[in-house]
Every structure is written in C-alpha cells, then in structure tokens.
Amino acid sequence: AVVSTQSTGGGDEMKKLKEDTSCFVKISQNNKYFPNSRDRPCYVEGEPENVNRALRIIQDKITNDNAKRGPGTVDEQRKKACKVIIGSNAAGKTIGKGGENVIRLKESFNVFVKVMSREEIIQGLDERTVTVSSNTGNLDNIMDATCDIVNMAAQMTNGGTDKNLDYDYFMGGEGPPPVAAPGAGANNSFNNSFNSNSGGRG
C-alpha cells in the first residue's frame, strides 16, 4: 500500500497496528525510499490472515487521508490504489501465462493490476512492485485482489521480501546481490510502501 508519512499516524498508531494484527511491522526511515520513487517501504510479517488485516487497515488510512493536513497527503488517484512489493518470482506468477492471472483478477474483482515492467526493474534487486487500482475506488475489491496476490506470493519460494534489505544500495541502479527473502511457509512476509508524496509517483 502507499500512504503519505502523515497517514501512518506516528508511533502510537503503528504500535496499535502491531497489537491489533499481531504482525511484525517495520517502516523505513523518513529518507529511505524504494529506488526511483518517493515511497517508503514498510515490511509486514505474520500469519496470512493477520497480514491481510494489517494491509486493509493501512489502506483504509490512505483512503481517508485528510487533504487539509498539508504537504505529504495522498492525492485522489492514490487513494484508489494499493501498492505492494513482492519477490520477482511472485511478480511473474501475478501476471500469469499470457496475462491470464491479471485477467482473472480483473474479472473477479473489477480492478486493474499493474506489475512493474521489465524495463523498470532495478538492476540487482529481486523485487517488483504491484499496484492494484479501480476506477470505482471500491476499497473492498481493491483489497480482495491485493490480498489474493499477497497470499499467492507467500506460497512461493522467495515470493516475499527481505526486512533487512537496504534500498540505498540500489539507488544508483546497481547494488550487491540481493539477500534471499524469508521463506513463505506459514508466515506471510511482504512490503508495503509508504509514500512521502513530495514529488513522488501518483
């Protein structure tokens, strides 16, 4: 999911998010962004149903972001989209053969699914972003489709992401060999990305 720094609600709300979902949540520092963006990655780990709940809580904050709070708030287009970072292996399966899985998600949930293209891939980084949006802004549909993608990624080897990865290494387009993401197993691990929205992607 992508949310302004204001929408995270500060330490108290993040503490409540962890308590309410029983998830491990780690947000990058204010000046730590996903490469080629102004998005702050947020790592969430826990049982699949708990991760899905955390994702919905975060996206709800995005949707209800108050534009009167000044710079860093989320624009209207962003409120109709949820973005997650998953392993490259899972990104391929999200698309499916001939785009069949994207078509399934579109038909099942009335959403658009955009997977980071090969041209946008960061050299050496074994992760890609997936953005789920809807013209209608139907949050339930957006989140059902997003959770479908996240749950699928959790079942794959290296389908998740690495909570200790330092994206600074990749800011110049090159970096060290990526660290293997946690195994999928019973726990679901993936990244949301929090958007500082100071000239960031819409």
Side-chain angles (χ1 to χ4, degrees):
V2 180
V3 59
S4 70
T5 51
Q6 285 89 338
S7 293
T8 63
D12 289 341
E13 287 205 27
M14 290 310 301
K15 181 180 178 181
K16 187 175 188 301
L17 174 63
K18 295 176 184 179
E19 292 175 347
D20 289 349
T21 63
S22 299
C23 285
F24 172 84
V25 182
K26 179 182 179 181
I27 305 175
S28 67
Q29 297 175 7
N30 287 333
N31 61 344
K32 301 291 185 180
Y33 306 117
F34 189 80
N36 298 334
S37 79
R38 298 289 289 180
D39 298 339
R40 292 172 57 198
C42 174
Y43 180 92
V44 181
E45 180 179 285
E47 295 296 328
E49 61 271 20
N50 292 340
V51 170
N52 291 345
R53 184 182 178 196
L55 182 58
R56 290 175 185 273
I57 292 172
I58 293 169
Q59 188 65 30
D60 184 66
K61 291 183 182 297
I62 299 170
T63 302
N64 294 295
D65 185 74
N66 186 352
K68 295 181 179 180
R69 287 189 288 187
T73 53
V74 184
D75 64 30
E76 293 305 310
Q77 183 179 359
R78 181 66 82 185
K79 292 180 180 182
K80 298 179 182 179
C82 181
K83 180 184 290 185
V84 291
I85 305 169
I86 59 178
S88 293
N89 288 347
K93 189 166 185 179
T94 296
I95 298 172
K97 185 177 181 180
E100 62 183 4
N101 199 47
V102 169
I103 295 172
R104 177 185 67 83
L105 291 167
K106 180 179 180 179
E107 293 179 347
S108 298
F109 303 109
N110 192 27
V111 296
F112 300 101
V113 178
K114 182 182 184 301
V115 180
M116 178 186 282
S117 68
R118 294 185 182 277
E119 291 74 20
E120 296 173 307
I121 292 176
I122 311 301
Q123 184 177 347
L125 180 60
D126 196 25
E127 297 180 354
R128 295 166 72 178
T129 59
V130 179
T131 304
V132 181
S133 61
S134 169
N135 285 336
T136 66
N138 187 307
L139 183 59
D140 286 336
N141 287 355
I142 291 171
M143 298 317 301
D144 285 346
T146 302
C147 290
D148 186 299
I149 293 168
V150 170
N151 291 340
M152 177 179 60
Q155 301 303 315
M156 299 183 64
T157 301
N158 294 341
T161 54
D162 175 31
K163 63 185 174 186
N164 296 314
L165 184 63
D166 185 351
Y167 291 103
D168 280 355
Y169 286 114
F170 303 93
M171 294 305 288
E174 296 183 2
V179 180
N187 277 355
N188 190 352
S189 59
F190 74 102
N191 266 305
N192 302 33
S193 51
F194 287 83
N195 184 16
S196 71
N197 209 26
S198 54
R201 297 180 293 185

